[in-house]
Amino acid sequence: DAGVIQSPRHEVTEMGQEVTLRCKPISGHDYLFWYRQTMMRGLELLIYFNNNVPIDDSGMPEDRFSAKMPNASFSTLKIQPSEPRDSAVYFCASSLNVGGAEAFFGQGTRLTVV
Amino acid sequence: GQQLNQSPQSMFIQEGEDVSMNCTSSSIFNTWLWYKQDPGEGPVLLIALYKAGELTSNGRLTAQFGITRKDSFLNISASIPSDVGIYFCAGGLGNTPLVFGKGTRLSVIA
């Protein structure tokens, strides 16, 4: 398996624009997680899915953030409208189960909002 | 929610030195994991621990699952330049997502 695949690797956008980050989890993994990483706050869990259903989105910072998982092999994280404070590295991860198994991370999307 | 205290926050060491870092929690976990993040990459799993008291090695890495289930440590022996990166601990409870520490940033001086 190619591992968790994220795109794009880098995104630079202007404040107010819509940003869409994409993730393809490892085949067969029932859980998908979206994280945000900043120097100040470390790795923050934004939302996670089980079998394509959102389970906990309490980490999503604002209504400007939304995530979907239309099928087992694809998920998106959307920010609309984007703000400079959204600048961070966003990771997608997948695992076989929620807490007892290893989570495998993608390479991340570095988002810069100017 | 649950929080992990990871220390130290950063370390500067000479090549060849041994490294020790640890993670503590106010609550118990059933799983402890250690990840390494290279610059510009995502975290990669180094070692997974599933039993209290378990001591596991992976090459120059050794990690232990604390007997109280509230802590874990990671040791790196004879550090080399490619050990540079951020090391994260993560605790798992089986029914909730992994909880991550804030990381230990390791710099190795050749």
Side-chain angles (χ1 to χ4, degrees), chain A residues 9 33 35 37 39-43 45 48 91 97-107, chain B residues 31 33 35 37 40-43 45 48 50 86 88 92-98 100 102 105:
Chain A
R9 288 295 308 275
F33 308 86
Y35 289 89
Q37 184 179 37
M39 287 289 290
M40 290 296 294
R41 302 172 72 93
L43 273 170
L45 178 65
Y48 77 98
F91 287 104
N97 64 50
V98 67
E102 302 89 339
F104 293 84
F105 285 78
Q107 290 183 300
Chain B
T31 306
L33 307 172
Y35 286 81
Q37 183 179 21
E41 302 292 331
L45 183 68
Y50 297 104
I86 305 175
F88 291 98
L93 206 46
N95 59 352
T96 55
L98 294 174
F100 283 85
K102 292 200 171 181
R105 187 178 295 271

Side-chain angles (χ1 to χ4, degrees), chain A residues 11-17 19 82-87 111-114:
Chain A
E11 177 82 36
V12 180
T13 190
E14 291 186 344
M15 183 174 65
Q17 295 297 307
V19 175
S82 58
E83 296 183 3
R85 59 195 169 114
D86 301 331
S87 298
L111 173 65
T112 303
V113 183
V114 298

